[in-house]
């Protein structure tokens, strides 16, 4: 049986072999796109989460911090004035609030993990991160998120399947 970490390492190596300059290519595309955008709101959708969560129930330890993706992308999100970052991968809903320069800062982007999708759940796997402002009730169930955009604000609302509101978070216009 292959451990998750060696399987993950193998997958990363396969990706590096297939597309050795992927990070550089994505960063170049992002910088070009941000430099020419005239859109009022800048929202990033990314699969891997920028934060790294510690394990609550795995034999191998892992401490909280920032993922490799976070260390690469978060300074760029700060630099280009991104308003919100919606991520996934962890199959949980978490609101980390506004982060800039790897710390709590209301002038930074709003970071949300969008929640459970599909039939894969990890009850009790993740510890709470020190930057978490809200964590959906555990063990978590399916959920969905809506986004309302106006000239003056972005409003994210997360719900349980029965329509119960989990959380509402708004960003006011600063431009």
């Amino acid at each position: 049986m292959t451990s998750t970490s060696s399987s993950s390492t193998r997958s990363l190596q396969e990706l590096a072999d297939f597309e050795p300059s992927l990070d550089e290519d994505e960063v170049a595309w992002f910088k070009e796109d941000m430099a020419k955008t005239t859109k009022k709101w800048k929202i990033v959708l990314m699969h891997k989460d920028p934060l790294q969560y510690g394990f609550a129930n795995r034999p191998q330890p892992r401490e909280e911090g920032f993922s490799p993706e976070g260390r690469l992308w978060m300074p760029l999100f700060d630099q280009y004035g991104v308003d919100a970052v919606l991520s996934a991968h962890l199959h949980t809903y978490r609101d980390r609030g506004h982060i800039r320069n790897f710390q709590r800062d209301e002038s930074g982007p709003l970071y949300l993990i969008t929640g459970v999708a599909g039939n894969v759940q990890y009850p009790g796997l993740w510890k709470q991160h020190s930057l978490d402002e809200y964590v959906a009730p555990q063990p978590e169930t399916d959920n969905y998120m809506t986004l309302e955009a106006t000239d003056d604000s972005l409003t994210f609302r997360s719900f349980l399947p029965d329509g119960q509101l989990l959380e509402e978070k708004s960003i006011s216009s600063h431009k």
Side-chain angles (χ1 to χ4, degrees), residues 52-73:
Q52 177 173 293
Y53 281 78
F55 293 133
N57 65 7
R58 289 240 173 124
Q60 69 272 29
R62 184 168 88 174
E63 297 304 314
E64 77 168 43
F66 297 92
S67 69
E69 293 79 13
R71 288 190 299 275
L72 173 64
W73 289 101

Side-chain angles (χ1 to χ4, degrees), residues 16 19-26:
E19 180 61 54
S21 62
L22 181 62
D23 283 346
E24 294 83 7
D25 293 347
E26 287 182 335

Side-chain angles (χ1 to χ4, degrees), residues 42-63:
K42 297 176 186 173
I43 302 171
V44 170
L45 306 176
M46 60 189 297
H47 178 80
K48 289 280 191 103
D49 190 61
L51 276 64
Q52 177 173 293
Y53 281 78
F55 293 133
N57 65 7
R58 289 240 173 124
Q60 69 272 29
R62 184 168 88 174
E63 297 304 314

Side-chain angles (χ1 to χ4, degrees), residues 3 8 24 38 41 57 70 98 123 125 140 147:
S3 75
S8 178
E24 294 83 7
T38 59
W41 299 107
N57 65 7
H98 295 270
L125 177 60
E140 193 165 358
L147 167 59

Side-chain angles (χ1 to χ4, degrees), residues 106-144:
E106 289 301 312
S107 71
L110 172 65
Y111 285 86
L112 300 171
I113 303 178
T114 58
V116 176
N119 62 358
V120 177
Q121 296 179 8
Y122 303 106
L125 177 60
W126 311 112
K127 292 180 180 178
Q128 188 161 340
H129 197 287
S130 61
L131 291 171
D132 285 340
E133 290 188 350
Y134 175 83
V135 177
Q138 303 293 312
E140 193 165 358
T141 183
D142 295 336
N143 62 281
Y144 63 95

Side-chain angles (χ1 to χ4, degrees), residues 32 49 66 73-74 76 89-90 119 155 170 175:
E32 180 182 337
D49 190 61
F66 297 92
W73 289 101
M74 291 173 80
L76 292 167
H89 191 63
L90 302 182
N119 62 358
T155 302
S170 292
K175 299 173 183 165

